[in-house]
Amino acid sequence: MIVFSIWKSVEAVAFALAMTIALSGGVQAQDTPSFTTGPAKTTNPDLFACHGARARVSPVGTIRSDDGRLWVVPADTYFQTATKAADLYNQCSGVRLRQLSELDLKKIPVIDAGGEETFTAYIFADNYFELYVNGKLLGVDAIPFTPFNSSVVRFKANRPFTIAVMGVDWEENLGLGSERNRRVAYHPGDAGFVAVIKDEKGRTVAATDKSWRAQTFYTAPLNDRSCLKLEGLVRDSSQCATASVQDGSAFSAAHWPMPSNWFAPGFDDSAWPLATVFSNDTVGVDNKPAFMNFRDVFDDPAADAQFIWSSNLILDNLVLMRRTVE
């Protein structure tokens, strides 16, 4: 009995250590997600009201998984409390620049992220982003869902500095990763994130491309849980169905806890997959002035920024992205 008790104690310590490593972003021996089924409970029917422009509601909810954990969907954000990123194009606020030359950078506040050099980030997200530099939250997207907007953030930092981004593909059917679209009640929407960071002389020092790291933390809808393939920290949903349906209320979703320090410069993201890049056509921005009006910065031939996400642009709804600028 004494030997058994000692063994159980050792086993418990080993389990606790493994969980600590997992939550801190280190190597995981097991990467099993928590699964939920069906719709979430709405806790906020609409985060954001847009007057004078066509907009989808931006609800938030909670859902409990099979293992008893409570999850916020589509994501637990700082939208209601954090500083909103300045507008590059925003129908809801009335900012509708036709080209980048109309932007007066002197009117954009510069946020101190620990340094002396000033940088400017130009961002377009489908749908929502939160931007960190050196572990400091600099700003969040001004619009959680639609209409599509673009943003500009200025900050001071010393090189090297670390960029960390939370990207969220919003949803109307909470917990089910879908929306009403194209006359279908459960349509899995797509996502995408593109950014360009320039220095004080206008030179591009970083742009989204396949060198970034991108990790998935919420995947839905899943009409068959077995379609999800896990290997190390690779969470592959490429074999899962993406078809729109009229009734997806019984579908499932996969959730993973986010490491508490995922945005910190010292966080080890080496085991995360590299970002997948997508073309403008795949993301579908040809009818979105928030992007098209600023192609001279987003699609600069000398430093073309690419849309990035996890490997699944449709089903992966909460993705964390990181890049260190040397």
Side-chain angles (χ1 to χ4, degrees):
M1 292 297 292
I2 294 176
V3 172
F4 178 76
S5 298
I6 293 174
W7 170 249
K8 294 302 290 182
S9 297
V10 171
E11 189 179 51
V13 170
F15 177 78
L17 179 60
M19 290 303 296
T20 300
I21 293 174
L23 293 176
S24 65
V27 177
Q28 295 185 354
Q30 189 173 359
D31 192 41
T32 303
S34 295
F35 286 105
T36 58
T37 303
K41 177 182 178 181
T42 301
T43 56
N44 190 327
D46 195 3
L47 281 181
F48 174 75
C50 178
H51 302 287
R54 186 177 179 181
R56 291 181 181 271
V57 296
S58 307
V60 178
T62 58
I63 188 168
R64 196 168 295 279
S65 53
D66 298 348
D67 55 10
R69 306 181 75 164
L70 190 67
W71 303 89
V72 177
V73 290
D76 190 5
T77 73
Y78 286 109
F79 177 79
Q80 293 180 297
T81 58
T83 300
K84 305 300 186 292
D87 293 324
L88 189 59
Y89 188 97
N90 184 340
Q91 296 180 57
C92 299
S93 67
V95 176
R96 304 188 184 206
L97 303 185
R98 293 164 296 179
Q99 54 193 7
L100 190 62
S101 60
E102 296 180 2
L103 176 66
D104 186 356
L105 278 179
K106 294 180 181 179
K107 294 183 178 180
I108 308 300
V110 179
I111 305 168
D112 185 7
E116 300 299 326
E117 193 174 357
T118 300
F119 299 92
T120 303
Y122 302 93
I123 300 169
F124 176 93
D126 183 354
N127 297 107
Y128 174 82
F129 74 88
E130 295 187 349
L131 174 69
Y132 294 80
V133 171
N134 289 339
K136 182 174 183 176
L137 179 58
L138 300 190
V140 306
D141 204 327
I143 301 177
F145 206 166
T146 64
F148 288 96
N149 64 306
S150 48
S151 310
V152 56
V153 178
R154 301 187 74 202
F155 61 93
K156 283 190 173 183
N158 291 331
R159 290 186 251 192
F161 60 85
T162 299
I163 306 169
V165 177
M166 173 196 283
V168 182
D169 181 22
W170 220 268
E171 59 191 14
E172 287 179 320
N173 301 314
L174 290 174
L176 293 168
S178 56
E179 62 197 48
R180 178 174 290 278
N181 200 351
R182 302 172 189 176
R183 299 182 180 180
V184 180
Y186 293 81
H187 170 77
D190 56 10
F193 177 80
V194 64
V196 174
I197 296 91
K198 292 181 176 289
D199 64 14
E200 293 178 86
K201 295 183 179 181
R203 297 173 298 197
T204 299
V205 300
T208 45
D209 59 21
K210 61 183 180 181
S211 69
W212 288 54
R213 297 284 177 174
Q215 182 59 292
T216 302
F217 289 87
Y218 169 40
T219 298
L222 298 173
N223 63 4
D224 179 4
R225 296 180 180 183
S226 66
C227 69
L228 196 61
K229 306 303 179 185
L230 308 173
E231 183 176 349
L233 287 184
V234 176
R235 300 159 183 176
D236 181 10
S237 57
S238 61
Q239 301 303 309
C240 301
T242 59
S244 302
V245 298
Q246 291 295 355
D247 185 6
S249 59
F251 287 174
S252 294
H255 309 257
W256 292 264
M258 296 192 305
S260 60
N261 63 335
W262 69 269
F263 46 79
F267 177 79
D268 182 8
D269 60 18
S270 60
W272 284 12
L274 292 171
T276 301
V277 299
F278 300 90
S279 69
N280 293 353
D281 289 342
T282 300
V283 177
V285 293
D286 60 340
N287 63 344
K288 297 176 175 61
F291 179 88
M292 298 299 290
N293 289 8
F294 313 103
R295 291 191 64 182
D296 55 341
V297 64
F298 291 127
D299 285 340
D300 182 352
D304 184 16
Q306 297 173 291
F307 276 96
I308 63 170
W309 202 249
S310 65
S311 59
N312 196 324
L313 195 70
I314 298 176
L315 299 185
D316 293 345
N317 304 313
L318 172 56
V319 175
L320 303 183
M321 296 160 276
R322 288 173 50 93
R323 175 76 155 82
T324 296
V325 178
E326 300 297 344

